């Protein structure tokens, strides 16, 4: 009996450790001594009461992270880092390391995010992970993730550029190369969305040259006037633009600028959902709020967003449950019910057996 009790204690301790928040460190983050701020990882599927507590914890973490990210100090640091990067890119452009493309975008992302009522598109995004090995594959490898996002049924690939969340310095180009291999196949190449702190036009020229077809612009970082100028510059490089907002006032400003796509971020899922009523039908809404596992994606779908960016919500489940990213995202795209489905059988995934290429109720 004593031996059984000891093993039980060991098992419980192991389970508790497995579900602790991970400090995610990618290979390049290790090289530069960077450590990412951990988010809470859902412990288990323990019923409605536990889920509400998990949602409250997640909302509190989102608010705390937004306060830090949108502080004057953080904005100044982001601008300084982006300006330094822009100066380097200007020198590379002058030296002929890359050329600024001149093209007219074809609304590839905008069209890809148009889904039937009650459905929602997914944008897969990599996130540096400590547990990188998965059946011989690297969760920090942009090429592997690019292929996984496409076969899973995502509508686009979102790629972080710069900062501690970057997978590799060449992630956009690596993703574009991998997507190009799908030309003439089904599913075909996905549009690439570059997510970075943009303060100078040359940054847009670089991601466009690397193969991006859209870029996310922060209204809070640049203000309306500067954001408008960056939107015009992006269009000249063949890039669609997504304006990132976090409040009703910023949403109004983005719509006044003529934004065709808005990204609701730096807020809770409930706050983002409340802003949806102010978004015209012809404007695509992208949810960039941290959700919990498969059921969290279904909750975002049920609120009515056109699309959801999934990053840590997928990567942490992959590392935790040892399933490939496409298994998790296919579960998110299945016709599952928040009320009746657990959304926890990755690979043997729960929900209706059919998946229509979009997240449907």
């Amino acid at each position: 009996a004593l031996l059984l009790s000891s093993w039980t204690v060991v098992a419980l301790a192991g389970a508790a450790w497995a579900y602790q928040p991970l400090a995610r460190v990618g290979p390049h983050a290790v090289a530069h001594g960077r450590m990412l701020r951990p988010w809470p990882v859902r412990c288990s599927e323990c019923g409605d009461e536990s889920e509400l507590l998990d949602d409250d914890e997640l909302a509190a973490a989102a608010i705390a992270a937004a306060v830090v990210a949108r502080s004057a100090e953080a904005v100044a640091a982001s601008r300084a880092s982006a300006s330094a990067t822009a100066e380097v890119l200007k020198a590379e452009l002058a030296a002929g390391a890359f050329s600024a493309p001149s093209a007219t975008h074809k609304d590839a992302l905008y069209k890809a995010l148009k889904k039937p009522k009650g459905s929602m598109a997914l944008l897969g995004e990599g996130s540096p992970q400590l547990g990188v090995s998965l059946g011989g594959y690297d969760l920090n490898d942009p090429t592997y993730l690019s292929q996984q996002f496409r076969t899973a049924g995502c509508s686009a690939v979102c790629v972080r550029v710069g900062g501690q969340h970057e997978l590799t310095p060449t992630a956009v180009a690596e993703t574009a190369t991998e997507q190009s291999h799908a030309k003439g196949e089904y599913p075909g190449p996905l549009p690439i969305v570059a997510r970075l702190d943009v303060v100078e036009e040359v940054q847009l020229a670089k991601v466009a040259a690397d193969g991006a077809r859209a870029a996310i612009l922060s209204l809070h970082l640049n203000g309306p006037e500067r954001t408008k100028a960056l939107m015009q510059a992006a269009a000249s490089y063949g890039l669609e633009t997504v304006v990132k907002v976090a409040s009703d006032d910023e949403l109004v400003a983005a719509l006044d600028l003529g934004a065709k796509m808005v990204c609701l971020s730096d807020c809770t899922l409930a706050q983002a959902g409340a802003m949806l009523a102010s978004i015209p039908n012809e404007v695509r809404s992208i949810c960039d709020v941290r959700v919990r596992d498969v059921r969290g994606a279904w909750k975002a779908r049920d609120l009515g967003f056109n699309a959801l960016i999934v990053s840590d919500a997928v990567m942490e489940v992959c590392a935790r449950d040892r399933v490939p990213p496409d298994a998790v995202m296919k579960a998110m795209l299945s016709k599952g019910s928040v009320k009746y489905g657990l959304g926890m059988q990755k690979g043997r995934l729960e929900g209706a057996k059919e998946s229509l290429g979009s997240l449907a109720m």
Side-chain angles (χ1 to χ4, degrees), residues 48-65:
D48 293 341
E49 183 177 352
S50 175
E51 185 169 338
L52 288 174
L53 291 175
D54 277 340
D55 289 345
D56 289 343
E57 181 185 27
L58 202 59
I63 293 173

Side-chain angles (χ1 to χ4, degrees), residues 120-156:
M120 185 175 73
L122 291 183
L123 283 75
E125 180 183 74
S127 170
Q129 298 293 311
L130 179 61
V132 297
S133 179
L134 178 67
Y137 295 105
D138 188 345
L139 291 177
N140 292 336
D141 179 7
T143 298
Y144 169 62
L145 292 179
S146 175
Q147 181 270 338
Q148 286 283 295
F149 294 155
R150 184 176 63 256
T151 58
C154 288
S155 297

Side-chain angles (χ1 to χ4, degrees), residues 107-128:
D107 289 337
L109 178 63
Y110 182 81
K111 294 175 181 177
L113 300 187
K114 182 179 180 180
K115 299 297 179 182
K117 184 177 181 180
S119 301
M120 185 175 73
L122 291 183
L123 283 75
E125 180 183 74
S127 170

Side-chain angles (χ1 to χ4, degrees), residues 183-250:
K183 288 183 178 179
E185 300 179 2
Y186 182 83
L190 302 180
I192 298 170
V193 184
R195 187 210 287 261
L196 68 164
D197 291 329
V198 181
V199 296
E200 297 283 349
E201 288 83 350
V202 68
Q203 295 171 273
L204 296 170
K206 173 58 175 173
V207 295
D210 285 346
R213 292 296 173 262
I216 298 177
L217 303 178
S218 172
L219 189 65
H220 183 68
L221 182 64
N222 293 291
E225 185 175 343
R226 183 57 182 157
T227 299
K228 181 65 174 179
L230 290 172
M231 291 171 67
Q232 294 172 344
S236 70
Y237 300 135
L239 291 173
E240 298 175 77
T241 50
V242 180
V243 180
K244 175 181 169 182
V245 301
S247 66
D248 291 323
D249 290 343
E250 289 185 357

Side-chain angles (χ1 to χ4, degrees), residues 23-40:
R24 298 172 298 281
V25 185
H28 293 273
V30 172
H32 294 84
R34 300 192 300 253
M35 182 71 74
L36 304 189
R37 178 182 184 277
W39 282 72

